[in-house]
Amino acid sequence: MSINIPAWFARQYATNVSLKLQIMGSMLRPYVTEGSYVGEAAQVVDQIGAIEMQEVTQRFAPMGRVDAPLDSRWVYPKDWDLPQLFDKFDKLRTIVEEESPSVQNAVLSAGRQIDRIILKAFTADAKTGVNGGTTTSVNSGNEVDVAVGGANSKLNVAKLLEVKRLMRANYVDLDREQVYGILTAADEASLLQEIQIISSDFNGMEKPVLQDGKITRFLGINFVYSELAETILAGTNEVNVPFWVKSGMHLGIWNDVTTSTSIRHDIQGEPFQAYLKMTMGATRIEENKVYNVESYRA
């Protein structure tokens, strides 16, 4: 028997499980409105358009009426899940506990999926009308062309100034609402070459542009880092970088991120299952509260 004892020797492996580099959950969810719903679709909001007073041109004339334009905005859910199996036989051969970091890994994946849902809604057709039967596309007048600030240019100060101009021209209340914009690695590198971003004249104020080398806020725009935009919002030779106010985007939640751990008695070995699921959808609430800036990609 002694010749077989080496088979019992334990090799020293790492007992810590570390998550590989990845986007650590949702970056965008805090910056959109949310609502909880049931059913196959949900009416997010009833909308009333602007009306104007009319001049009285004669005395004792018949009284007419002014009808305000009415609309509704709808959101539709999709289901998502992520099952993971852990064989009990495998657990007998391992030292580390898999379930806890694996569940954490799944929750981070759910956060990224929420961001994908939100990112797609920036440019996707929205459903409006009494029963969501009308399709409303992105307002092309709310797009900043790729050539603003230089031919084939990435995000730059000129484009930021233009998106602020468009917002004010469309009556977005910038005194009451915070403006948010997506920032990816490529556009961050571009902005860091702009003198208005890196000059100490712009970084000695109460709310500096740069904090520890990171662009946090400029021209009243709060930047949210999301590398997913590079693929989700990619065009032919550009990325459509979204800028918005919180009341302009909505995340509908039918079932928030839910996790469970159970034993699968229907599978040989009765493995543990770590299961995550969610049901969500997103939409623009109002076109003039969402803007796209074209940023060039070679």
Side-chain angles (χ1 to χ4, degrees):
M1 175 180 176
S2 62
I3 195 172
N4 296 320
I5 289 179
W8 291 356
F9 290 170
R11 297 182 180 180
Q12 184 63 47
Y13 290 102
T15 56
N16 294 320
V17 177
S18 63
L19 298 173
K20 296 189 72 173
L21 283 173
Q22 58 184 292
I23 299 172
M24 304 300 282
S26 177
M27 304 296 180
L28 303 179
R29 185 170 178 175
Y31 309 112
V32 300
T33 60
E34 292 186 7
S36 298
Y37 307 104
V38 295
E40 63 180 14
Q43 185 178 1
V44 177
V45 63
D46 287 324
Q47 299 170 324
I48 303 177
I51 56 176
E52 301 296 339
M53 297 189 69
Q54 296 180 328
E55 181 183 2
V56 177
T57 58
Q58 58 181 309
R59 301 178 66 191
F60 309 119
M63 185 180 294
R65 75 171 190 270
V66 176
D67 296 321
L70 304 178
D71 210 343
S72 297
R73 189 58 54 105
W74 293 75
V75 63
Y76 295 81
K78 288 186 177 181
D79 304 313
W80 310 86
D81 74 350
L82 180 55
Q84 300 179 86
L85 293 179
F86 306 95
D87 199 317
K88 288 184 178 179
F89 296 136
D90 291 338
K91 285 180 66 64
L92 296 175
R93 298 179 177 87
T94 60
I95 300 174
V96 298
E97 290 293 329
E98 298 154 329
E99 290 93 330
S100 179
S102 296
V103 170
Q104 181 186 0
N105 201 26
V107 170
L108 294 178
S109 173
R112 293 193 296 274
Q113 189 58 52
I114 291 172
D115 279 2
R116 292 186 185 98
I117 293 170
I118 295 171
L119 285 168
K120 290 178 181 178
F122 279 117
T123 56
D125 289 339
K127 297 299 181 180
T128 59
V130 177
N131 296 307
T134 302
T135 297
T136 302
S137 300
V138 171
N139 186 348
S140 59
N142 292 347
E143 295 180 354
V144 178
D145 191 77
V146 68
V148 172
N152 294 337
S153 59
K154 294 184 174 65
L155 200 59
N156 53 41
V157 172
K159 289 178 179 177
L160 299 180
L161 289 169
E162 178 62 9
V163 79
K164 285 290 293 292
R165 184 193 70 80
L166 288 173
M167 284 186 171
R168 286 201 180 277
N170 285 324
Y171 310 111
V172 177
D173 192 344
L174 302 182
D175 294 324
R176 295 186 179 184
E177 298 211 64
Q178 293 287 314
V179 180
Y180 299 96
I182 296 292
L183 198 59
T184 68
D187 287 324
E188 179 190 42
S190 176
L191 284 177
L192 286 173
Q193 299 180 52
E194 298 272 296
I195 188 65
Q196 295 97 323
I197 299 293
I198 61 176
S199 172
S200 60
D201 293 338
F202 295 86
N203 280 280
M205 299 177 289
E206 181 181 351
K207 294 183 178 179
V209 178
L210 292 174
Q211 292 183 1
D212 298 323
K214 179 181 178 180
I215 304 174
T216 58
R217 180 181 170 89
F218 184 66
L219 293 175
I221 300 171
N222 302 281
F223 290 102
V224 184
Y225 284 74
S226 177
E227 207 62 27
L228 290 173
E230 288 287 348
T231 52
I232 302 298
L233 299 175
T236 303
N237 291 309
E238 71 281 330
V239 169
N240 295 306
V241 182
F243 289 79
W244 73 100
V245 294
K246 188 171 183 177
S247 63
M249 292 296 299
H250 187 78
L251 179 67
I253 302 169
W254 276 254
N255 182 59
D256 211 333
V257 179
T258 304
T259 63
S260 64
T261 303
S262 60
I263 298 176
R264 290 289 301 272
H265 297 292
D266 59 320
I267 299 177
Q268 275 192 338
E270 296 185 323
F272 289 102
Q273 176 175 271
Y275 187 66
L276 180 146
K277 63 180 180 179
M278 68 181 192
T279 301
M280 297 187 183
T283 186
R284 293 184 308 280
I285 293 181
E286 190 171 343
E287 271 58 53
N288 282 342
K289 292 185 176 182
V290 179
Y291 297 77
N292 290 311
V293 176
E294 295 181 347
S295 179
Y296 182 73
R297 299 293 186 269

